[in-house]
Amino acid sequence: ETGVTQSPTHLIKTRGQQVTLRCSSQSGHNTVSWYQQALGQGPQFIFQYYREEENGRGNFPPRFSGLQFPNYSSELNVNALELDDSALYLCASSLGQGVRGTPLHFGNGTRLTVT
Amino acid sequence: SQQGEEDPQALSIQEGENATMNCSYKTSINNLQWYRQNSGRGLVHLILIRSNEREKHSGRLRVTLDTSKKSSSLLITASRAADTASYFCATALIQGAQKLVFGQGTRLTINP
């Protein structure tokens, strides 16, 4: 069983630039969620994708967007980077939409630093 | 605003002792989950307890849920150095079933 993998592991960008983060879900999982974790804080929900459609979104501006592909892998895109976007970005996969019955399986994250 | 609040924010104990962490939340939930995070890495699911359950065990872990007080506790018995990590409670709300709402976590340090 292949776990959740994220790339890159670390990234440094300049304010105003754009970034794409990638996630491969655990085999057999059809749902991907993205979370942002600022230093010393708990993760905050960005959005979830189920069968290639956005299936819920947190309080993040439209410059945060995503995609899910037919193989259930996913991308998180952030435009017009701001300093406050510096954080650990976590991808989590699960089976079926929602979080009522199944736990999330997290990748090790991408550490994004915006300077 | 955070749904869950963990208490204490940091806990340091000796190896072999028991560690108890508490979590409070504000709105009705479908389930509550506990996760562990080693420094700078991803979260690992520990245990899920549903709103109609009061206690659950998994190995050295014991979780309780009191929906009337909107609180949960995680007990780790016979702690080990490898238990050093941050522990987060996360709630799955009745409304908005797509997301987990995490607290700020408890930083647990086990001293050898």
Side-chain angles (χ1 to χ4, degrees):
Chain A
E1 177 176 276
T2 307
V4 178
T5 58
Q6 293 186 242
S7 62
T9 56
H10 295 83
L11 202 52
I12 300 175
K13 289 286 189 178
T14 303
R15 189 172 48 185
Q17 287 187 317
Q18 178 265 342
V19 69
T20 297
L21 310 181
R22 294 179 174 81
C23 171
S24 293
S25 59
Q26 182 166 313
S27 60
H29 286 181
N30 55 12
T31 302
V32 172
S33 304
W34 286 92
Y35 288 77
Q36 180 197 65
Q37 186 179 22
L39 200 60
Q41 303 293 315
Q44 292 207 15
F45 176 73
I46 303 176
F47 42 56
Q48 182 184 85
Y49 279 83
Y50 173 67
R51 292 184 177 178
E52 303 178 55
E53 297 283 336
E54 188 179 289
N55 183 43
R57 189 179 182 92
N59 294 326
F60 281 83
R63 59 190 185 82
F64 285 78
S65 63
L67 283 173
Q68 187 180 31
F69 301 98
N71 66 355
Y72 305 128
S73 65
S74 177
E75 286 183 354
L76 165 64
N77 299 290
V78 187
N79 294 323
L81 285 166
E82 300 177 359
L83 297 179
D84 284 349
D85 295 333
S86 294
L88 181 66
Y89 287 85
L90 295 162
C91 169
S93 73
S94 56
L95 182 60
Q97 59 179 323
V99 290
R100 292 185 174 175
T102 59
L104 299 182
H105 297 255
F106 283 86
N108 283 327
T110 294
R111 172 71 63 187
L112 173 64
T113 303
V114 182
T115 62
Chain B
S1 63
Q2 298 279 18
Q3 153 82 331
E5 297 291 337
E6 279 100 338
D7 172 55
Q9 292 189 1
L11 179 62
S12 180
I13 61 174
Q14 295 299 120
E15 196 167 18
E17 294 181 336
N18 295 342
T20 300
M21 289 159 271
N22 302 296
C23 168
S24 60
Y25 57 91
K26 298 174 183 174
T27 57
S28 296
I29 62 171
N30 176 276
N31 68 70
L32 185 145
Q33 303 177 29
W34 285 89
Y35 287 81
R36 183 186 74 223
Q37 183 178 38
N38 289 88
S39 181
R41 297 180 67 82
L43 283 78
V44 175
H45 178 259
L46 296 176
I47 201 162
L48 181 155
I49 187 166
R50 300 183 190 282
S51 59
N52 61 352
E53 297 175 310
R54 292 297 167 258
E55 188 171 311
K56 245 183 151 174
H57 297 255
S58 176
R60 294 184 296 113
L61 306 181
R62 173 180 170 252
V63 168
T64 62
L65 179 64
D66 187 334
T67 53
S68 66
K69 295 181 179 178
K70 291 186 169 59
S71 67
S72 174
S73 68
L74 169 67
L75 168 68
I76 303 174
T77 59
S79 63
R80 304 167 182 169
D83 295 329
T84 294
S86 292
Y87 291 81
F88 294 91
C89 71
T91 52
L93 306 182
I94 292 176
Q95 300 297 325
Q98 294 80 18
K99 67 179 182 181
L100 287 178
V101 182
F102 285 84
Q104 292 189 326
T106 292
R107 175 67 190 168
L108 175 65
T109 302
I110 308 299
N111 301 303

